[in-house]
mmCIF file with all atom_site columns, all heavy atoms in Angstrom:
data_model
loop_
_atom_site.group_PDB
_atom_site.id
_atom_site.type_symbol
_atom_site.label_atom_id
_atom_site.label_alt_id
_atom_site.label_comp_id
_atom_site.label_asym_id
_atom_site.label_entity_id
_atom_site.label_seq_id
_atom_site.pdbx_PDB_ins_code
_atom_site.Cartn_x
_atom_site.Cartn_y
_atom_site.Cartn_z
_atom_site.occupancy
_atom_site.B_iso_or_equiv
_atom_site.pdbx_formal_charge
_atom_site.auth_seq_id
_atom_site.auth_comp_id
_atom_site.auth_asym_id
_atom_site.auth_atom_id
_atom_site.pdbx_PDB_model_num
ATOM   1   N N   . ILE A 1 8   ? 7.695  -156.837 -61.271 1.00 95.00 ? 202 ILE A N   1
ATOM   2   C CA  . ILE A 1 8   ? 7.678  -157.373 -59.910 1.00 95.00 ? 202 ILE A CA  1
ATOM   3   C C   . ILE A 1 8   ? 6.242  -157.316 -59.392 1.00 95.00 ? 202 ILE A C   1
ATOM   4   O O   . ILE A 1 8   ? 5.515  -156.352 -59.669 1.00 95.00 ? 202 ILE A O   1
ATOM   5   C CB  . ILE A 1 8   ? 8.675  -156.590 -59.025 1.00 95.00 ? 202 ILE A CB  1
ATOM   6   C CG1 . ILE A 1 8   ? 8.866  -157.243 -57.670 1.00 95.00 ? 202 ILE A CG1 1
ATOM   7   C CG2 . ILE A 1 8   ? 8.278  -155.146 -58.844 1.00 95.00 ? 202 ILE A CG2 1
ATOM   8   C CD1 . ILE A 1 8   ? 10.165 -156.816 -57.002 1.00 95.00 ? 202 ILE A CD1 1
ATOM   9   N N   . GLN A 1 9   ? 5.833  -158.358 -58.693 1.00 96.00 ? 203 GLN A N   1
ATOM   10  C CA  . GLN A 1 9   ? 4.436  -158.433 -58.260 1.00 96.00 ? 203 GLN A CA  1
ATOM   11  C C   . GLN A 1 9   ? 4.195  -157.657 -56.966 1.00 96.00 ? 203 GLN A C   1
ATOM   12  O O   . GLN A 1 9   ? 4.989  -157.790 -56.036 1.00 96.00 ? 203 GLN A O   1
ATOM   13  C CB  . GLN A 1 9   ? 4.060  -159.884 -57.979 1.00 96.00 ? 203 GLN A CB  1
ATOM   14  C CG  . GLN A 1 9   ? 4.076  -160.759 -59.190 1.00 96.00 ? 203 GLN A CG  1
ATOM   15  C CD  . GLN A 1 9   ? 3.490  -162.125 -58.853 1.00 96.00 ? 203 GLN A CD  1
ATOM   16  O OE1 . GLN A 1 9   ? 2.288  -162.260 -58.636 1.00 96.00 ? 203 GLN A OE1 1
ATOM   17  N NE2 . GLN A 1 9   ? 4.344  -163.126 -58.808 1.00 96.00 ? 203 GLN A NE2 1
ATOM   18  N N   . HIS A 1 15  ? 10.963 -158.084 -50.058 1.00 96.00 ? 209 HIS A N   1
ATOM   19  C CA  . HIS A 1 15  ? 12.049 -158.524 -49.163 1.00 96.00 ? 209 HIS A CA  1
ATOM   20  C C   . HIS A 1 15  ? 13.436 -158.344 -49.783 1.00 96.00 ? 209 HIS A C   1
ATOM   21  O O   . HIS A 1 15  ? 13.566 -157.944 -50.953 1.00 96.00 ? 209 HIS A O   1
ATOM   22  C CB  . HIS A 1 15  ? 11.802 -159.980 -48.765 1.00 96.00 ? 209 HIS A CB  1
ATOM   23  C CG  . HIS A 1 15  ? 11.611 -160.917 -49.932 1.00 96.00 ? 209 HIS A CG  1
ATOM   24  N ND1 . HIS A 1 15  ? 12.642 -161.348 -50.726 1.00 96.00 ? 209 HIS A ND1 1
ATOM   25  C CD2 . HIS A 1 15  ? 10.483 -161.478 -50.452 1.00 96.00 ? 209 HIS A CD2 1
ATOM   26  C CE1 . HIS A 1 15  ? 12.173 -162.154 -51.663 1.00 96.00 ? 209 HIS A CE1 1
ATOM   27  N NE2 . HIS A 1 15  ? 10.848 -162.231 -51.527 1.00 96.00 ? 209 HIS A NE2 1
ATOM   28  N N   . GLY A 1 17  ? 15.483 -160.464 -50.860 1.00 94.00 ? 211 GLY A N   1
ATOM   29  C CA  . GLY A 1 17  ? 15.689 -161.256 -52.078 1.00 94.00 ? 211 GLY A CA  1
ATOM   30  C C   . GLY A 1 17  ? 15.220 -160.489 -53.307 1.00 94.00 ? 211 GLY A C   1
ATOM   31  O O   . GLY A 1 17  ? 15.901 -160.463 -54.334 1.00 94.00 ? 211 GLY A O   1
ATOM   32  N N   . ASN A 1 18  ? 14.065 -159.835 -53.193 1.00 93.00 ? 212 ASN A N   1
ATOM   33  C CA  . ASN A 1 18  ? 13.564 -159.019 -54.314 1.00 93.00 ? 212 ASN A CA  1
ATOM   34  C C   . ASN A 1 18  ? 14.539 -157.885 -54.612 1.00 93.00 ? 212 ASN A C   1
ATOM   35  O O   . ASN A 1 18  ? 14.766 -157.538 -55.767 1.00 93.00 ? 212 ASN A O   1
ATOM   36  C CB  . ASN A 1 18  ? 12.187 -158.417 -54.000 1.00 93.00 ? 212 ASN A CB  1
ATOM   37  C CG  . ASN A 1 18  ? 11.099 -159.443 -53.757 1.00 93.00 ? 212 ASN A CG  1
ATOM   38  O OD1 . ASN A 1 18  ? 10.343 -159.342 -52.799 1.00 93.00 ? 212 ASN A OD1 1
ATOM   39  N ND2 . ASN A 1 18  ? 11.009 -160.465 -54.600 1.00 93.00 ? 212 ASN A ND2 1
ATOM   40  N N   . GLY A 1 21  ? 18.022 -159.639 -55.789 1.00 89.00 ? 215 GLY A N   1
ATOM   41  C CA  . GLY A 1 21  ? 17.861 -160.459 -56.986 1.00 89.00 ? 215 GLY A CA  1
ATOM   42  C C   . GLY A 1 21  ? 17.241 -159.716 -58.158 1.00 89.00 ? 215 GLY A C   1
ATOM   43  O O   . GLY A 1 21  ? 17.349 -160.147 -59.301 1.00 89.00 ? 215 GLY A O   1
ATOM   44  N N   . ALA A 1 22  ? 16.565 -158.597 -57.888 1.00 89.00 ? 216 ALA A N   1
ATOM   45  C CA  . ALA A 1 22  ? 15.884 -157.897 -58.984 1.00 89.00 ? 216 ALA A CA  1
ATOM   46  C C   . ALA A 1 22  ? 16.160 -156.392 -58.953 1.00 89.00 ? 216 ALA A C   1
ATOM   47  O O   . ALA A 1 22  ? 16.903 -155.872 -59.784 1.00 89.00 ? 216 ALA A O   1
ATOM   48  C CB  . ALA A 1 22  ? 14.381 -158.177 -58.912 1.00 89.00 ? 216 ALA A CB  1
ATOM   49  N N   . LYS A 1 111 ? 2.897  -173.705 -57.523 1.00 88.00 ? 305 LYS A N   1
ATOM   50  C CA  . LYS A 1 111 ? 2.025  -172.703 -56.888 1.00 88.00 ? 305 LYS A CA  1
ATOM   51  C C   . LYS A 1 111 ? 0.622  -173.240 -56.638 1.00 88.00 ? 305 LYS A C   1
ATOM   52  O O   . LYS A 1 111 ? -0.008 -172.890 -55.644 1.00 88.00 ? 305 LYS A O   1
ATOM   53  C CB  . LYS A 1 111 ? 1.964  -171.418 -57.717 1.00 88.00 ? 305 LYS A CB  1
ATOM   54  C CG  . LYS A 1 111 ? 3.307  -170.692 -57.735 1.00 88.00 ? 305 LYS A CG  1
ATOM   55  C CD  . LYS A 1 111 ? 3.170  -169.185 -57.703 1.00 88.00 ? 305 LYS A CD  1
ATOM   56  C CE  . LYS A 1 111 ? 4.508  -168.569 -57.303 1.00 88.00 ? 305 LYS A CE  1
ATOM   57  N NZ  . LYS A 1 111 ? 4.570  -167.147 -57.334 1.00 88.00 ? 305 LYS A NZ  1
ATOM   58  N N   . TYR A 1 126 ? -0.820 -167.648 -66.604 1.00 96.00 ? 320 TYR A N   1
ATOM   59  C CA  . TYR A 1 126 ? 0.154  -166.620 -66.199 1.00 96.00 ? 320 TYR A CA  1
ATOM   60  C C   . TYR A 1 126 ? 1.300  -166.464 -67.206 1.00 96.00 ? 320 TYR A C   1
ATOM   61  O O   . TYR A 1 126 ? 1.652  -165.336 -67.585 1.00 96.00 ? 320 TYR A O   1
ATOM   62  C CB  . TYR A 1 126 ? 0.658  -167.052 -64.818 1.00 96.00 ? 320 TYR A CB  1
ATOM   63  C CG  . TYR A 1 126 ? 1.668  -166.221 -64.097 1.00 96.00 ? 320 TYR A CG  1
ATOM   64  C CD1 . TYR A 1 126 ? 1.321  -165.558 -62.908 1.00 96.00 ? 320 TYR A CD1 1
ATOM   65  C CD2 . TYR A 1 126 ? 2.991  -166.134 -64.505 1.00 96.00 ? 320 TYR A CD2 1
ATOM   66  C CE1 . TYR A 1 126 ? 2.246  -164.827 -62.196 1.00 96.00 ? 320 TYR A CE1 1
ATOM   67  C CE2 . TYR A 1 126 ? 3.921  -165.402 -63.803 1.00 96.00 ? 320 TYR A CE2 1
ATOM   68  C CZ  . TYR A 1 126 ? 3.547  -164.748 -62.639 1.00 96.00 ? 320 TYR A CZ  1
ATOM   69  O OH  . TYR A 1 126 ? 4.468  -164.027 -61.948 1.00 96.00 ? 320 TYR A OH  1
ATOM   70  N N   . ASP A 1 147 ? 14.467 -169.352 -62.033 1.00 73.00 ? 341 ASP A N   1
ATOM   71  C CA  . ASP A 1 147 ? 13.091 -169.819 -61.896 1.00 73.00 ? 341 ASP A CA  1
ATOM   72  C C   . ASP A 1 147 ? 12.174 -169.344 -63.020 1.00 73.00 ? 341 ASP A C   1
ATOM   73  O O   . ASP A 1 147 ? 11.086 -169.862 -63.194 1.00 73.00 ? 341 ASP A O   1
ATOM   74  C CB  . ASP A 1 147 ? 12.518 -169.402 -60.520 1.00 73.00 ? 341 ASP A CB  1
ATOM   75  C CG  . ASP A 1 147 ? 12.740 -167.922 -60.211 1.00 73.00 ? 341 ASP A CG  1
ATOM   76  O OD1 . ASP A 1 147 ? 13.573 -167.298 -60.891 1.00 73.00 ? 341 ASP A OD1 1
ATOM   77  O OD2 . ASP A 1 147 ? 12.062 -167.397 -59.318 1.00 73.00 ? 341 ASP A OD2 1
ATOM   78  N N   . THR A 1 183 ? 22.214 -163.432 -57.439 1.00 73.00 ? 377 THR A N   1
ATOM   79  C CA  . THR A 1 183 ? 22.085 -163.601 -55.994 1.00 73.00 ? 377 THR A CA  1
ATOM   80  C C   . THR A 1 183 ? 20.746 -164.241 -55.721 1.00 73.00 ? 377 THR A C   1
ATOM   81  O O   . THR A 1 183 ? 19.701 -163.644 -55.972 1.00 73.00 ? 377 THR A O   1
ATOM   82  C CB  . THR A 1 183 ? 22.129 -162.231 -55.289 1.00 73.00 ? 377 THR A CB  1
ATOM   83  O OG1 . THR A 1 183 ? 23.274 -161.541 -55.761 1.00 73.00 ? 377 THR A OG1 1
ATOM   84  C CG2 . THR A 1 183 ? 22.209 -162.386 -53.795 1.00 73.00 ? 377 THR A CG2 1
ATOM   85  N N   . ARG A 1 184 ? 20.776 -165.479 -55.267 1.00 88.00 ? 378 ARG A N   1
ATOM   86  C CA  . ARG A 1 184 ? 19.529 -166.131 -54.878 1.00 88.00 ? 378 ARG A CA  1
ATOM   87  C C   . ARG A 1 184 ? 19.523 -166.158 -53.355 1.00 88.00 ? 378 ARG A C   1
ATOM   88  O O   . ARG A 1 184 ? 20.300 -166.906 -52.740 1.00 88.00 ? 378 ARG A O   1
ATOM   89  C CB  . ARG A 1 184 ? 19.488 -167.541 -55.467 1.00 88.00 ? 378 ARG A CB  1
ATOM   90  C CG  . ARG A 1 184 ? 18.154 -168.203 -55.341 1.00 88.00 ? 378 ARG A CG  1
ATOM   91  C CD  . ARG A 1 184 ? 18.126 -169.453 -56.207 1.00 88.00 ? 378 ARG A CD  1
ATOM   92  N NE  . ARG A 1 184 ? 17.027 -170.342 -55.862 1.00 88.00 ? 378 ARG A NE  1
ATOM   93  C CZ  . ARG A 1 184 ? 15.780 -170.174 -56.242 1.00 88.00 ? 378 ARG A CZ  1
ATOM   94  N NH1 . ARG A 1 184 ? 15.457 -169.150 -56.982 1.00 88.00 ? 378 ARG A NH1 1
ATOM   95  N NH2 . ARG A 1 184 ? 14.845 -171.042 -55.887 1.00 88.00 ? 378 ARG A NH2 1
ATOM   96  N N   . VAL A 1 185 ? 18.695 -165.329 -52.787 1.00 94.00 ? 379 VAL A N   1
ATOM   97  C CA  . VAL A 1 185 ? 18.672 -165.210 -51.334 1.00 94.00 ? 379 VAL A CA  1
ATOM   98  C C   . VAL A 1 185 ? 17.732 -166.276 -50.774 1.00 94.00 ? 379 VAL A C   1
ATOM   99  O O   . VAL A 1 185 ? 16.601 -166.419 -51.239 1.00 94.00 ? 379 VAL A O   1
ATOM   100 C CB  . VAL A 1 185 ? 18.199 -163.799 -50.920 1.00 94.00 ? 379 VAL A CB  1
ATOM   101 C CG1 . VAL A 1 185 ? 18.205 -163.657 -49.404 1.00 94.00 ? 379 VAL A CG1 1
ATOM   102 C CG2 . VAL A 1 185 ? 19.077 -162.736 -51.558 1.00 94.00 ? 379 VAL A CG2 1
ATOM   103 N N   . LYS A 1 194 ? 13.830 -170.760 -50.938 1.00 93.00 ? 388 LYS A N   1
ATOM   104 C CA  . LYS A 1 194 ? 14.031 -169.376 -51.372 1.00 93.00 ? 388 LYS A CA  1
ATOM   105 C C   . LYS A 1 194 ? 13.370 -168.397 -50.383 1.00 93.00 ? 388 LYS A C   1
ATOM   106 O O   . LYS A 1 194 ? 12.285 -168.678 -49.888 1.00 93.00 ? 388 LYS A O   1
ATOM   107 C CB  . LYS A 1 194 ? 13.401 -169.283 -52.765 1.00 93.00 ? 388 LYS A CB  1
ATOM   108 C CG  . LYS A 1 194 ? 13.270 -167.939 -53.369 1.00 93.00 ? 388 LYS A CG  1
ATOM   109 C CD  . LYS A 1 194 ? 12.635 -168.049 -54.752 1.00 93.00 ? 388 LYS A CD  1
ATOM   110 C CE  . LYS A 1 194 ? 11.216 -167.520 -54.707 1.00 93.00 ? 388 LYS A CE  1
ATOM   111 N NZ  . LYS A 1 194 ? 10.849 -166.539 -55.690 1.00 93.00 ? 388 LYS A NZ  1
ATOM   112 N N   . MET A 1 195 ? 14.036 -167.274 -50.121 1.00 96.00 ? 389 MET A N   1
ATOM   113 C CA  . MET A 1 195 ? 13.363 -166.225 -49.347 1.00 96.00 ? 389 MET A CA  1
ATOM   114 C C   . MET A 1 195 ? 12.173 -165.763 -50.170 1.00 96.00 ? 389 MET A C   1
ATOM   115 O O   . MET A 1 195 ? 12.331 -165.460 -51.345 1.00 96.00 ? 389 MET A O   1
ATOM   116 C CB  . MET A 1 195 ? 14.324 -165.058 -49.075 1.00 96.00 ? 389 MET A CB  1
ATOM   117 C CG  . MET A 1 195 ? 13.729 -163.970 -48.200 1.00 96.00 ? 389 MET A CG  1
ATOM   118 S SD  . MET A 1 195 ? 14.880 -162.626 -47.804 1.00 96.00 ? 389 MET A SD  1
ATOM   119 C CE  . MET A 1 195 ? 15.905 -163.356 -46.553 1.00 96.00 ? 389 MET A CE  1
ATOM   120 N N   . SER A 1 196 ? 11.002 -165.740 -49.551 1.00 94.00 ? 390 SER A N   1
ATOM   121 C CA  . SER A 1 196 ? 9.810  -165.535 -50.368 1.00 94.00 ? 390 SER A CA  1
ATOM   122 C C   . SER A 1 196 ? 8.767  -164.693 -49.643 1.00 94.00 ? 390 SER A C   1
ATOM   123 O O   . SER A 1 196 ? 8.658  -164.741 -48.417 1.00 94.00 ? 390 SER A O   1
ATOM   124 C CB  . SER A 1 196 ? 9.288  -166.935 -50.743 1.00 94.00 ? 390 SER A CB  1
ATOM   125 O OG  . SER A 1 196 ? 7.913  -166.971 -50.747 1.00 94.00 ? 390 SER A OG  1
ATOM   126 N N   . LYS A 1 197 ? 8.013  -163.914 -50.433 1.00 93.00 ? 391 LYS A N   1
ATOM   127 C CA  . LYS A 1 197 ? 6.964  -163.059 -49.870 1.00 93.00 ? 391 LYS A CA  1
ATOM   128 C C   . LYS A 1 197 ? 5.903  -163.893 -49.183 1.00 93.00 ? 391 LYS A C   1
ATOM   129 O O   . LYS A 1 197 ? 5.285  -163.459 -48.217 1.00 93.00 ? 391 LYS A O   1
ATOM   130 C CB  . LYS A 1 197 ? 6.263  -162.280 -50.987 1.00 93.00 ? 391 LYS A CB  1
ATOM   131 C CG  . LYS A 1 197 ? 7.130  -161.339 -51.775 1.00 93.00 ? 391 LYS A CG  1
ATOM   132 C CD  . LYS A 1 197 ? 6.210  -160.521 -52.686 1.00 93.00 ? 391 LYS A CD  1
ATOM   133 C CE  . LYS A 1 197 ? 6.942  -159.813 -53.782 1.00 93.00 ? 391 LYS A CE  1
ATOM   134 N NZ  . LYS A 1 197 ? 6.713  -160.426 -55.111 1.00 93.00 ? 391 LYS A NZ  1
ATOM   135 N N   . SER A 1 198 ? 5.659  -165.094 -49.753 1.00 90.00 ? 392 SER A N   1
ATOM   136 C CA  . SER A 1 198 ? 4.523  -165.873 -49.266 1.00 90.00 ? 392 SER A CA  1
ATOM   137 C C   . SER A 1 198 ? 4.892  -166.838 -48.140 1.00 90.00 ? 392 SER A C   1
ATOM   138 O O   . SER A 1 198 ? 4.028  -167.568 -47.672 1.00 90.00 ? 392 SER A O   1
ATOM   139 C CB  . SER A 1 198 ? 3.906  -166.632 -50.437 1.00 90.00 ? 392 SER A CB  1
ATOM   140 O OG  . SER A 1 198 ? 4.905  -167.360 -51.101 1.00 90.00 ? 392 SER A OG  1
HETATM 141 N N1  . AQP B 2 .   ? 14.815 -165.148 -52.763 1.00 84.02 ? 39  AQP B N1  1
HETATM 142 C C1  . AQP B 2 .   ? 15.099 -164.469 -53.866 1.00 84.02 ? 39  AQP B C1  1
HETATM 143 N N2  . AQP B 2 .   ? 16.378 -164.268 -54.246 1.00 84.02 ? 39  AQP B N2  1
HETATM 144 C C2  . AQP B 2 .   ? 16.676 -163.566 -55.363 1.00 84.02 ? 39  AQP B C2  1
HETATM 145 N N3  . AQP B 2 .   ? 15.739 -163.012 -56.169 1.00 84.02 ? 39  AQP B N3  1
HETATM 146 C C3  . AQP B 2 .   ? 14.445 -163.182 -55.834 1.00 84.02 ? 39  AQP B C3  1
HETATM 147 N N4  . AQP B 2 .   ? 13.292 -162.775 -56.395 1.00 84.02 ? 39  AQP B N4  1
HETATM 148 C C4  . AQP B 2 .   ? 12.252 -163.208 -55.660 1.00 84.02 ? 39  AQP B C4  1
HETATM 149 N N5  . AQP B 2 .   ? 12.698 -163.909 -54.594 1.00 84.02 ? 39  AQP B N5  1
HETATM 150 C C5  . AQP B 2 .   ? 14.057 -163.909 -54.669 1.00 84.02 ? 39  AQP B C5  1
HETATM 151 C C6  . AQP B 2 .   ? 13.216 -161.961 -57.612 1.00 84.02 ? 39  AQP B C6  1
HETATM 152 O O1  . AQP B 2 .   ? 12.362 -160.860 -57.356 1.00 84.02 ? 39  AQP B O1  1
HETATM 153 C C7  . AQP B 2 .   ? 11.662 -160.510 -58.541 1.00 84.02 ? 39  AQP B C7  1
HETATM 154 C C8  . AQP B 2 .   ? 10.197 -160.355 -58.193 1.00 84.02 ? 39  AQP B C8  1
HETATM 155 O O2  . AQP B 2 .   ? 9.527  -161.494 -58.367 1.00 84.02 ? 39  AQP B O2  1
HETATM 156 P P1  . AQP B 2 .   ? 7.979  -161.646 -58.165 1.00 84.02 ? 39  AQP B P1  1
HETATM 157 O O3  . AQP B 2 .   ? 7.375  -160.431 -57.582 1.00 84.02 ? 39  AQP B O3  1
HETATM 158 O O4  . AQP B 2 .   ? 7.406  -162.140 -59.439 1.00 84.02 ? 39  AQP B O4  1
HETATM 159 O O5  . AQP B 2 .   ? 7.909  -162.739 -57.045 1.00 84.02 ? 39  AQP B O5  1
HETATM 160 P P2  . AQP B 2 .   ? 8.456  -164.212 -57.053 1.00 84.02 ? 39  AQP B P2  1
HETATM 161 O O6  . AQP B 2 .   ? 9.595  -164.424 -57.965 1.00 84.02 ? 39  AQP B O6  1
HETATM 162 O O7  . AQP B 2 .   ? 7.286  -165.120 -57.213 1.00 84.02 ? 39  AQP B O7  1
HETATM 163 O O8  . AQP B 2 .   ? 9.089  -164.382 -55.601 1.00 84.02 ? 39  AQP B O8  1
HETATM 164 P P3  . AQP B 2 .   ? 8.627  -163.817 -54.236 1.00 84.02 ? 39  AQP B P3  1
HETATM 165 O O9  . AQP B 2 .   ? 8.911  -162.343 -54.254 1.00 84.02 ? 39  AQP B O9  1
HETATM 166 O O10 . AQP B 2 .   ? 9.256  -164.484 -53.107 1.00 84.02 ? 39  AQP B O10 1
HETATM 167 O O11 . AQP B 2 .   ? 7.092  -164.099 -54.168 1.00 84.02 ? 39  AQP B O11 1
HETATM 168 P P4  . AQP B 2 .   ? 6.319  -165.511 -53.885 1.00 84.02 ? 39  AQP B P4  1
HETATM 169 O O12 . AQP B 2 .   ? 6.397  -165.761 -52.417 1.00 84.02 ? 39  AQP B O12 1
HETATM 170 O O13 . AQP B 2 .   ? 4.936  -165.198 -54.326 1.00 84.02 ? 39  AQP B O13 1
HETATM 171 O O14 . AQP B 2 .   ? 6.997  -166.583 -54.685 1.00 84.02 ? 39  AQP B O14 1
HETATM 172 C C9  . AQP B 2 .   ? 11.980 -161.587 -59.571 1.00 84.02 ? 39  AQP B C9  1
HETATM 173 O O15 . AQP B 2 .   ? 12.963 -161.082 -60.476 1.00 84.02 ? 39  AQP B O15 1
HETATM 174 C C10 . AQP B 2 .   ? 12.559 -162.713 -58.758 1.00 84.02 ? 39  AQP B C10 1
HETATM 175 O O16 . AQP B 2 .   ? 13.499 -163.499 -59.464 1.00 84.02 ? 39  AQP B O16 1
#
Side-chain angles (χ1 to χ4, degrees):
I202 189 159
Q203 295 188 71
H209 54 75
N212 298 133
K305 293 217 163 175
Y320 180 113
D341 49 344
T377 309
R378 191 168 164 79
V379 181
K388 171 180 108 129
M389 184 177 283
S390 143
K391 298 188 196 107
S392 53

